[in-house]
């Protein structure tokens, strides 16, 4: 993926670009708002990572201008501000996701991955999701694995749906909290792990190949056995 | 008054001046009213009597000429006549024709109403008495004077005026003295407060404004200033505590990480070994960051103002969602979660309120006993039209004396409640409640804790 990083702090910019290159991406780095805007308008990037506070033109103005120019490049806004209002403002300005500093690099990777693949899946039309031998019927709201129906609670169905819309991709705990519960905060106790382990009991227990995997230090991933994994 | 400007600006002097002016105004008004109701009435009556008399006499003159008039006057002044009236009729030459007055009073040739002294003989005694009289011009140059002894009225008026002067002087004296005394009293209390303020500004935060114990406005002012100081002192000590706690809670993991990384460098850790060290370092740093994030959340909730992200919320829905989030945790610990919710509309920031409720449930699940544990989550409207969400557990609870401070940052009741957690959960709940104009109540669930967020009416 070709990514544009707009970040005034050189240390952070270097750390971001190093990390993203390490993960196999190509990175352009800008340090000011106008520079970033020019780069975003001329280049063709798969996604933009932009700091909210930038000298001479703040990140949200850049995003607003970009959107006014009709560019739909996914934008992830980074910010040291975590207030709910700021988050709302960031998304309202045209940002696609909002990440508060300090963040785990794995969180950034997972979110960028989710952003860039958002449109490509073509899943909005699908009435059923399939990963390996697990099928989720979105109309009947049922899950079957290898032909055997798995009884799910409504919330478990939602979690599973969230995973199956992103097969082969890392899903972090905060992504689940935001996407499934609509919570923008981290609960004191790690409740997500407990939910996942219960879900795992239902969909993986008694089957030869597990579908729901733990990605150490990052989160979880739903993945079909290697042979069938197209991602 | 030509007081020096500086003196005029002091409270006692101004107070005295105002008080004196007020006294004089009230007393002057009162005395004036009394005067008008008594002395002035008598005066008017005298005048009316004289007027009637003069009219009657002049009618006699018109009916029967000089003779009739003289006769009438003599009848009124004769030995059997009653009353203290004075009569005098003089001819055009100024000579007396009739009456009991020897001569026309000097200097009073014309003018309708006059007043003059008369010497009255009563045997050997002679007294000078004051007479009020009306004069009347008759045809052919005759002049008539009808008067009345008004010595008594005059004396009364004189006494009245003298008394009034004394009263006013007394009022001025009392006004000035009491004004200065009262003003000084006020000034002393203000000065005491100002002095306390200066001490406090100089850094002596334990100082308080002294109370007189009278419960007056000054006491109320001092009370509210003291309450403010209590809050400032609370915040300051909270901050000190927080600083201590941060240096403990954040430095501990950072120190450990530092040591582990340093050791790993020293022994040139590679492969699996390095992985273990780095993973552990990440975990420690995450723990430290989580504490910082919690502190920031609280600080923001404490300093925020109602923002545009506020919307109508239902505490019941929020409580149900949060309970649902924690359901597997409760089940894993063998704790029964009971939901008892009814629509409880309020207004607020949904995420913050949800986080607060989640913290309460988190706490309750932490402290409810693993065997036979029971957590009750309630949401309902309150009697005052607000809304309330309550989370109760049957754990060890919080001793009554600790409930006031348990919501302060980093307060962990290590003995009573096991000492898990960051000690920030309830701080956030309280900050969120305050932000929404509500409060956090901690009650005894006998056994256990019953924590309740009360939000005001929409």
């Amino acid at each position: 993926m070709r990514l544009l990083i707009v970040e005034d702090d050189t240390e952070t910019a270097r750390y971001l670009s190093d990390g993203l290159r390490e993960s196999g991406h190509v990175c352009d780095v800008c340090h000011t708002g106008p520079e970033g805007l020019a780069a975003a308008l001329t280049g063709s990037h798969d996604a933009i990572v932009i700091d909210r506070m930038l000298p001479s033109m703040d990140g949200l103005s850049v995003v607003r201008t970009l959107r006014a120019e009709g560019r739909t490049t996914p934008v992830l806004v980074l910010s040291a501000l975590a207030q709910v209002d700021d988050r709302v403002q960031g998304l309202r300005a045209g940002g696609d996701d909002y990440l508060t500093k300090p963040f785990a690099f794995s969180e950034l990777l997972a979110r960028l991955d989710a952003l860039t693949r958002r449109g490509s899946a073509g899943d909005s039309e699908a009435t059923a999701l399939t990963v390996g031998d697990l099928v989720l019927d979105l109309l009947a709201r049922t899950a079957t694995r290898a032909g055997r129906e798995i009884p799910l609670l409504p919330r478990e169905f939602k979690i599973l749906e969230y995973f199956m819309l992103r097969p082969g991709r890392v899903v972090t705990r905060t992504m689940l909290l935001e996407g499934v519960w609509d919570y923008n905060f981290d609960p004191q106790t790690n409740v997500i792990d407990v939910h996942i382990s219960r879900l795992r009991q239902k969909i993986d227990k008694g089957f030869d190949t597990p579908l729901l995997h733990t990605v150490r230090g990052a989160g979880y991933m739903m993945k079909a056995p290697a042979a069938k994994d197209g991602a | 008054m030509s007081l020096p400007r500086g003196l005029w600006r002091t409270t006692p002097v101004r107070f005295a001046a105002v008080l004196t002016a007020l006294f004089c105004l009230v007393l002057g008004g009162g005395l004036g009213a009394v005067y008008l109701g008594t002395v002035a009435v008598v005066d008017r009556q005298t005048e009316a009597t004289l007027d009637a008399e003069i009219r009657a006499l002049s009618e006699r003159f018109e009916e029967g000429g000089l003779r009739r008039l003289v006769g009438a006057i003599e009848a009124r002044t004769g030995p059997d006549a009653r009353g203290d009236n004075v009569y005098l009729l003089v001819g055009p030459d100024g000579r007396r024709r009739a009456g009991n007055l020897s001569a026309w009073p000097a200097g009073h040739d014309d003018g309708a109403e006059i007043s003059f002294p008369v010497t009255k003989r009563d045997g050997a005694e002679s007294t000078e008495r004051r007479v009020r009289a009306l004069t009347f011009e008759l045809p052919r140059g005759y002049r008539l004077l009808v008067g009345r002894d008004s010595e008594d009225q005059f004396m009364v008026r004189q006494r009245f005026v003298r008394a009034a002067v004394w009263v006013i002087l007394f009022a001025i004296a009392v006004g000035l003295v009491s004004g200065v005394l009262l003003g000084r009293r006020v000034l002393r209390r203000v000065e005491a407060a100002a002095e306390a303020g200066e001490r406090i500004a100089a850094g002596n935060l334990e100082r308080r404004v002294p109370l007189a114990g009278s419960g007056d406005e000054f006491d109320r002012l001092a009370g509210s200033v003291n309450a403010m100081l209590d809050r400032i002192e609370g915040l300051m000590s909270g901050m000190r505590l927080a600083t201590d706690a941060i240096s403990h809670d954040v430095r501990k993991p950072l120190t450990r990480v530092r040591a582990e990384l340093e050791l790993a460098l020293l022994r040139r850790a590679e492969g699996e070994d390095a992985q273990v060290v780095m993973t552990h370092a990440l975990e420690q740093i995450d723990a430290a960051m989580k504490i910082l994030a919690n502190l920031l959340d609280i600080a923001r909730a404490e300093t925020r103002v109602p923002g545009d992200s506020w919307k109508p919320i239902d505490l019941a829905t929020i409580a149900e969602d949060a309970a649902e989030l924690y359901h597997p945790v409760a089940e894993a610990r063998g704790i029964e979660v009971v939901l008892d919710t009814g629509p409880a509309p309020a207004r607020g920031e949904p995420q913050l309120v949800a986080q607060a409720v989640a913290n309460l449930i988190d706490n309750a699940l932490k402290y409810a006993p693993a065997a036979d544990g029971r957590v009750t989550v309630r949401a309902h409207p309150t009697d005052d039209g607000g809304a309330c969400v309550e989370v109760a557990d049957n754990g060890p609870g919080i001793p009554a004396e600790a409930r006031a401070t348990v919501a302060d940052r980093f307060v962990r009741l290590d003995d009573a409640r096991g000492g898990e957690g960051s000690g920030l959960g309830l701080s956030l709940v309280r900050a969120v409640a305050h932000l929404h104009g509500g409060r956090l109540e901690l009650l005894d669930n006998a056994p256990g804790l019953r924590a309740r967020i009360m939000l005001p009416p929409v």
Side-chain angles (χ1 to χ4, degrees):
Chain A
M1 272 199 295
R2 191 181 165 85
L3 301 170
L4 173 64
I5 298 164
V6 191
E7 164 67 71
D8 62 318
D9 181 54
T10 48
E11 190 71 21
T12 312
R14 194 184 52 76
Y15 144 76
L16 284 175
S17 59
D18 283 1
L20 289 168
R21 280 181 193 127
E22 192 74 33
S23 319
H25 302 293
V26 180
C27 295
D28 296 331
V29 180
C30 296
H31 297 289
T32 69
E35 258 180 66
L37 182 61
L41 287 172
T42 51
S44 57
H45 300 99
D46 296 300
I48 300 169
V49 179
I50 190 165
D51 187 46
R52 194 183 158 149
M53 313 267 223
L54 288 172
S56 70
M57 185 180 190
D58 77 86
L60 293 192
S61 308
V62 174
V63 179
R64 242 179 253 121
T65 316
L66 206 59
R67 292 291 182 249
E69 292 287 325
R71 302 306 176 92
T72 54
T73 319
V75 174
L76 190 145
V77 182
L78 296 181
S79 174
L81 307 167
Q83 291 194 9
V84 189
D85 294 1
D86 301 313
R87 186 189 174 80
V88 170
Q89 278 174 24
L91 298 182
R92 214 178 271 160
D96 297 279
D97 204 352
Y98 195 94
L99 199 52
T100 311
K101 291 177 184 175
F103 50 84
F105 196 76
S106 53
E107 185 77 38
L108 176 74
L109 272 182
R111 280 166 186 268
L112 274 177
D113 197 33
L115 278 186
T116 50
R117 291 212 235 167
R118 183 179 273 176
S120 63
D123 33 48
S124 55
E125 307 290 311
T127 57
L129 301 170
T130 309
V131 173
D133 52 358
L134 177 65
V135 179
L136 198 64
D137 187 330
L138 297 180
L139 296 178
R141 318 243 2 124
T142 54
T144 44
R145 182 160 185 197
R148 200 195 308 166
E149 181 158 346
I150 302 167
L152 290 177
L153 295 171
R155 189 68 68 177
E156 290 167 339
F157 186 89
K158 273 194 171 177
I159 301 172
L160 197 54
E161 184 185 2
Y162 193 88
F163 274 111
M164 292 180 75
L165 281 169
R166 297 157 182 82
R169 279 179 277 156
V170 174
V171 171
T172 65
R173 293 174 180 86
T174 50
M175 280 165 79
L176 281 172
L177 278 165
E178 281 174 25
V180 178
W181 278 271
D182 199 21
Y183 283 164
N184 295 329
F185 57 88
D186 277 340
Q188 304 273 317
T189 307
N190 200 345
V191 286
I192 295 301
D193 287 359
V194 189
H195 277 275
I196 297 297
S197 84
R198 276 165 56 111
L199 184 61
R200 206 175 248 156
Q201 289 281 314
K202 290 192 174 176
I203 63 164
D204 279 346
K205 203 178 180 190
F207 296 96
D208 293 340
T209 45
L211 296 175
L212 198 47
H213 304 269
T214 302
V215 182
R216 211 174 149 71
Y220 302 94
M221 186 192 286
M222 173 140 286
K223 203 168 70 172
K228 292 174 196 169
D229 184 10
Chain B
M1 271 199 270
S2 64
L3 277 166
R5 280 191 75 85
L7 190 58
W8 181 240
R9 216 175 284 156
T10 59
T11 310
V13 171
R14 274 203 260 184
F15 208 76
V18 169
L19 207 61
T20 308
L22 212 67
F23 272 17
C24 290
L25 201 73
V26 169
L27 281 173
L31 289 169
V34 170
Y35 183 88
L36 287 176
T38 55
V39 181
V41 168
V42 174
D43 278 359
R44 269 200 305 282
Q45 278 171 356
T46 309
E47 207 173 308
T49 314
L50 291 176
D51 198 49
E53 185 72 356
I54 221 163
R55 208 167 300 231
L57 287 175
S58 61
E59 270 166 25
R60 296 288 160 83
F61 182 75
E62 275 162 32
E63 284 161 17
L66 198 57
R67 187 184 298 276
R68 275 290 296 270
L69 179 59
V70 170
I73 290 173
E74 270 165 4
R76 281 169 161 87
T77 57
D80 323 320
R82 287 171 299 149
D84 307 322
N85 281 8
V86 175
Y87 298 89
L88 178 64
L89 176 69
V90 292
D93 51 357
R95 275 190 29 227
R96 183 170 80 112
R97 296 293 154 84
N100 53 2
L101 197 64
S102 52
W104 195 265
H108 294 300
D109 286 339
D110 49 1
E113 193 190 335
I114 56 174
S115 177
F116 53 91
V118 176
T119 310
K120 205 173 195 177
R121 278 186 201 85
D122 193 5
E125 263 175 80
S126 78
T127 50
E128 181 147 305
R129 297 185 71 87
R130 201 158 283 271
V131 169
R132 273 187 72 191
L134 284 177
T135 58
F136 192 71
E137 302 263 345
L138 295 169
R140 284 182 280 142
Y142 285 92
R143 282 185 296 165
L144 177 65
L145 180 149
V146 178
R148 197 181 178 88
D149 184 333
S150 64
E151 182 66 23
D152 294 342
Q153 284 173 41
F154 182 78
M155 290 303 286
V156 166
R157 190 186 309 147
Q158 204 174 32
R159 279 200 199 120
F160 186 93
V161 169
R162 202 170 296 153
V165 167
W166 279 113
V167 164
I168 295 283
L169 284 177
F170 182 71
I172 289 174
V174 169
L176 286 176
V177 169
S178 60
V180 167
L181 288 181
L182 271 172
R184 282 218 343 235
R185 212 171 97 84
V186 168
L187 198 66
R188 254 207 308 280
R189 299 189 58 184
V190 171
E191 265 167 1
E195 194 210 323
E198 279 155 19
R199 290 273 176 86
I200 293 155
N204 185 0
L205 262 182
E206 285 91 62
R207 266 293 288 231
R208 288 295 177 269
V209 180
L211 291 166
S214 57
D216 61 2
E217 298 85 346
F218 279 100
D219 270 9
R220 262 179 48 208
L221 179 66
S224 65
V225 168
N226 287 345
M228 186 181 78
L229 290 170
D230 288 344
R231 172 123 174 87
I232 292 175
E233 204 188 352
L235 286 173
M236 292 282 286
S237 67
M239 221 161 76
R240 220 170 293 139
L241 256 175
T243 318
D244 295 351
I246 291 170
S247 51
H248 180 257
D249 285 54
V250 179
R251 257 163 78 181
K252 197 170 61 183
L254 289 182
T255 311
R256 216 179 298 147
V257 170
R258 196 181 185 289
E260 282 171 14
L261 289 177
E262 204 171 6
L263 279 174
L265 266 181
L266 274 177
R267 66 166 185 269
R268 300 174 196 283
E270 276 173 23
E272 191 78 8
D273 183 16
Q275 289 294 319
V276 170
V277 170
M278 287 190 285
T279 311
H280 196 232
L282 275 179
E283 280 165 12
Q284 298 282 331
I285 287 174
D286 280 348
M289 285 205 311
K290 179 137 192 164
I291 291 168
L292 287 176
N294 281 336
L295 277 172
L296 277 175
D297 283 346
I298 296 163
R300 282 180 187 132
E302 275 175 352
T303 53
R304 267 177 73 176
V305 286
D308 61 358
S309 57
W310 282 38
K311 43 178 85 105
I313 51 175
D314 181 7
L315 292 187
T317 316
I318 288 178
E320 285 157 15
D321 285 351
E324 194 267 344
L325 177 69
Y326 278 93
H327 187 252
V329 180
E331 218 172 60
R333 289 206 62 208
I335 296 167
E336 186 194 359
V337 177
V338 182
L339 267 175
D340 172 15
T341 57
R347 198 177 159 74
E349 202 327 280
Q351 293 289 335
L352 281 175
V353 177
Q355 192 173 2
V357 176
N359 277 6
L360 288 185
I361 297 178
D362 202 297
N363 263 350
L365 289 176
K366 243 173 229 160
Y367 298 116
D372 208 21
R374 187 183 167 93
V375 170
T376 311
V377 179
R378 292 191 187 89
H380 53 79
T382 54
D383 294 337
D384 66 351
C388 147
V389 57
E390 181 185 285
V391 179
D393 65 64
N394 61 344
I398 297 177
E401 66 274 12
R403 277 184 216 135
T405 54
V406 74
D408 290 342
R409 288 181 187 79
F410 291 112
V411 171
R412 266 167 290 207
L413 302 170
D414 288 328
D415 309 336
R417 290 175 71 96
E420 283 177 62
S422 63
L424 293 171
L426 282 179
S427 303
L428 179 83
V429 178
R430 188 178 61 180
V432 169
H434 286 175
L435 172 67
H436 288 80
R439 59 185 191 276
L440 167 67
E441 287 178 355
L442 299 174
L443 311 163
D444 193 357
N445 198 35
L449 177 69
R450 181 194 294 257
R452 186 190 278 171
I453 301 172
M454 307 281 286
L455 294 188
V458 176

